[in-house]
Amino acid sequence: MRILLVEDDALLGDGIRAGLELDAYAVDWVRNGEQALHALAGHSYEACILDLGLPGKDGVAVLKETRRAGDRTPVLVLTARDTREDKIGGLDAGADDYLTKPFDLGELQARLRALIRRASGSARPVLEHRGVVLDPSTKRVTADGCEVMLSAREYALLHDLLSHPNHIRSRAQLEESLYAWGDETGSNTVEVYIHHLRKKLGADFIRTVRGLGYQLGGEG
Amino acid sequence: MAGTASLRWRLLAAVSVAVLLLWLLTAWFSYTKAQHEAEELMDGNLAQTGRLLLAITQDNEDDLGELAGRLATVRGAADNVYEPPLEFQLCLGDGTILARSIGAPDLPVLGVPGYSDILRKDGSWRVLNVVSGDGRHRVQVSQSIGLRDRAALEVAGQTVLPLAIITPVLLLLIYVSVVKALDPLNRLARDVASRSADNLAALSREDVPNEVGPLVAAINRLLLRVARALDNERRFTSDAAHELRTPLAAIKVQTQVARLSRDAAQTTRALGQIESGVDRATRLVEQLLRLARLDPLNVLPNPQPLDLLPLVEGTLANVLAANPALTQTVRHELPQSAPRVFGDADLLGIALRNLIDNAIRYTPAGSTIVIRQEDEEGGRVCLSVQDDGPGVPDELIARLGERFVRGRDALAEGSGLGLAIVSRIMELHGGHFSARNLATGGFAARLCGLVRADRDAAPAGA
């Protein structure tokens, strides 16, 4: 679950990144509008957190431009302005949700989860497959009712696979979802985490599609 | 309502006094004139009667005994004030009386021909003596002056009477007109009085008399200025509150990270970030307060001649002390003979400090920042802070002095108020802040228009 954070303020950006990483998100943090457009064009993100008060090209301009380019990444807007006009302006420019500064980290995380859930076309707050239930709000995973302990990366990988139940996810896609810029990635780390997940959830829970990538195992 | 300040009562008093004075003058003039005319008329009457009686006397010298009796029977009503009775004595040239009216006074008949007033204890008389051409007959006609005066007074009184009736009506009309004419002023006053404090809309110019027009226009201009100032104030307050939200949001998020994190190193780091956040919010508040203190000033509170060299050196020392790990070189190139300028040492120090801080904030490690003194036209002096950094985008340069406008890609956090404060300080010094990118690369920010206060020059205005 990779998130783009667009925030010019060093302290706030740092805090949000740290807070989201606690929730096992991979966070790319850029500090101005141009970099944001560049990042959105080059990668696929589960969601984008966008501060409207950016120097240079401001948040609304970024939003309009990405939407014009056909980008459908869910966008949560952060704003210091709390008049109705500001909120309406942000939403009309293509934002999916907004938060007014200062905000609660827990609320930011919850809104982000809701955004990602809606974007995946699911109204259910938990992800489920073959008795394995992942609850993004508590970050708990259970298999047939018993809690399964997962590391942050394992959790993120499982979340990605459960979010795309009928898709084959390539190794590159999974890596991109798992790691932000600058994260150290080994040559076979995805394989390592898949291996761990199979050990914890059952060998046939994740299927290898030779030459293409990985997919959730069939029902039954 | 009444009092010297009331336009209505002043107008009323002035007009009424003028009208009353004029009325008195007119009345007196009419009265005396009417009296005089009445006298003339009665004199004419006296002369006509005298000549008539003389002709009758000449014609009927022997038959005059009956005349007095006959005339007595046709005498007019004695109580008609306009007909004061005429008395006569008809005589021969030597004074022998041929006939006289019944009420004729016992006056000497051989008086000088013509009019005369004869004042006696038993009554005063207006007398006309007429003598025939051959001197053989004389006629004396007389009228009681008391009765004549009564008649004249009556005439004069009747003339003045309409004036006396018209005057109160005139005063009433004046009162109504004045009140009516001042009505637009009252409406204006009610309009202003009924406004709430935040209604700064322009006053209506409709129905406003020409004389009050300039006042209304001036008030409207004032209202506009007040509205603008208030608007600025509100926008500034709102901007300031919003600017504070970002550091507050950072502090809040970092606090929550510190609480949620199970990693001691991360917690420590978040706590450090909270501290920086509080420092930043504090700096922002300090700068807001500084601007708020500078805003209401029109002139420098306490301008003094001050030496530029110690000012620059002192500021530089402060900068270096506050940035022990400075990666740029900061130095000055002021000569030992640097001039003195008029100004406030504290404020100029703050302005210079802000420029140097900005240069440090926006230039990469290894840059050089140089403070210079430049001479300007008109004997003015300028301090410049030049760097060899990346400069500022051209579209941003014109807006640099505005509040909460920041440069892009700041390598450190700024409040967006530093240059607004610099601009304000320079305004108070009668100068201005200017900034431009250098052709050779880098950026120059300048404190322009400082007034020289050289040792040998007479300190102007001190």
Side-chain angles (χ1 to χ4, degrees), chain B residues 67-347:
Chain B
L67 183 67
R70 243 175 274 150
L71 276 175
T73 59
V74 298
R75 273 178 75 127
D79 56 350
N80 187 345
V81 76
Y82 294 110
E83 223 179 283
L86 286 170
E87 308 298 343
F88 56 84
Q89 298 190 78
L90 311 177
C91 26
L92 294 173
D94 60 359
T96 315
I97 294 176
L98 301 174
R100 59 199 302 262
S101 59
I102 295 156
D106 183 20
L107 299 173
V109 292
L110 290 176
V112 197
Y115 293 105
S116 57
D117 287 336
I118 294 173
L119 311 174
R120 295 199 324 198
K121 274 187 199 127
D122 56 342
S124 303
W125 299 87
R126 179 70 168 169
V127 179
L128 174 66
N129 290 312
V130 191
V131 182
S132 64
D134 53 9
R136 286 191 30 175
H137 298 97
R138 298 180 74 105
V139 168
Q140 183 188 59
V141 194
S142 58
Q143 231 172 0
S144 158
I145 287 182
L147 293 179
R148 274 171 63 104
D149 281 355
R150 259 185 64 198
L153 281 179
E154 188 69 23
V155 170
Q158 292 297 332
T159 313
V160 173
L161 188 65
L163 276 178
I165 297 168
I166 281 169
T167 302
V169 176
L170 191 62
L171 286 177
L172 188 71
L173 281 177
I174 288 170
Y175 176 81
V176 171
S177 313
V178 166
V179 169
K180 195 101 184 124
L182 292 180
D183 210 37
L185 279 186
N186 290 331
R187 268 205 304 277
L188 207 60
R190 276 197 301 275
D191 178 15
V192 174
S194 66
R195 277 164 180 248
S196 61
D198 54 353
N199 180 2
L200 294 175
L203 295 172
S204 163
R205 300 285 301 270
E206 254 177 70
D207 296 337
V208 169
N210 289 341
E211 291 78 3
V212 187
L215 179 65
V216 171
I219 289 175
N220 281 343
R221 282 195 298 275
L222 177 68
L223 282 175
L224 197 67
R225 283 201 300 277
V226 171
R228 278 204 194 118
L230 211 61
D231 230 38
N232 274 340
E233 201 87 341
R234 281 189 191 137
R235 206 174 53 233
F236 181 62
T237 312
S238 151
D239 281 349
H242 286 124
E243 285 300 316
L244 268 173
R245 285 191 160 170
T246 299
L248 287 181
I251 292 167
K252 177 152 185 166
V253 168
Q254 295 282 5
T255 310
Q256 289 175 320
V257 169
R259 206 181 52 218
L260 292 173
S261 173
R262 266 156 277 160
D263 176 11
Q266 194 178 31
T267 307
T268 310
R269 189 170 171 281
L271 288 175
Q273 297 283 56
I274 293 170
E275 209 176 336
S276 329
V278 172
D279 286 347
R280 244 185 58 213
T282 309
R283 202 165 63 238
L284 180 57
V285 168
E286 275 168 1
Q287 297 208 306
L288 284 171
L289 286 176
R290 187 168 288 155
L291 257 185
R293 275 196 290 269
L294 290 177
D295 258 353
L297 297 181
N298 286 321
V299 288
L300 277 183
N302 189 19
Q304 302 254 330
L306 46 103
D307 281 305
L308 278 183
L309 190 61
L311 177 84
V312 170
E313 282 177 340
T315 310
L316 207 50
N318 288 341
V319 170
L320 294 175
N323 298 280
L326 199 62
T327 55
Q328 295 101 325
T329 309
V330 187
R331 61 187 163 81
H332 78 81
E333 288 182 357
L334 265 71
Q336 280 301 318
S337 60
R340 303 172 107 193
V341 296
F342 275 111
D344 182 304
D346 290 340
L347 292 180

Side-chain angles (χ1 to χ4, degrees), chain A residues 9-12 14-16 18-19 22 31-32 34 56 80-82 100-105, chain B residues 238-239 242 245-246 248-250 252-254 256-257 260 266 269 273 276-277 280 408-409 413:
Chain A
D9 187 90
L11 278 179
L12 181 57
D14 177 79
I16 294 175
L22 288 176
R31 299 179 64 162
N32 66 42
E34 278 82 9
R81 309 260 155 195
D82 58 354
T100 306
K101 297 177 192 174
F103 49 83
D104 186 86
L105 183 59
Chain B
S238 151
D239 281 349
H242 286 124
R245 285 191 160 170
T246 299
L248 287 181
K252 177 152 185 166
V253 168
Q254 295 282 5
Q256 289 175 320
V257 169
L260 292 173
Q266 194 178 31
R269 189 170 171 281
Q273 297 283 56
S276 329
R280 244 185 58 213
R408 303 161 68 174
D409 306 324
E413 303 297 328

Side-chain angles (χ1 to χ4, degrees), chain A residues 49-87:
Chain A
I49 298 173
L50 176 67
D51 188 355
L52 286 187
L54 296 172
K57 184 167 282 187
D58 75 4
V60 170
V62 171
L63 207 46
K64 284 184 173 158
E65 210 158 307
T66 55
R67 292 307 188 218
R68 211 177 311 125
D71 191 304
R72 301 177 69 173
T73 309
V75 173
L76 189 153
V77 154
L78 297 180
T79 170
R81 309 260 155 195
D82 58 354
T83 66
R84 206 173 47 197
E85 289 75 20
D86 291 318
K87 291 172 183 170

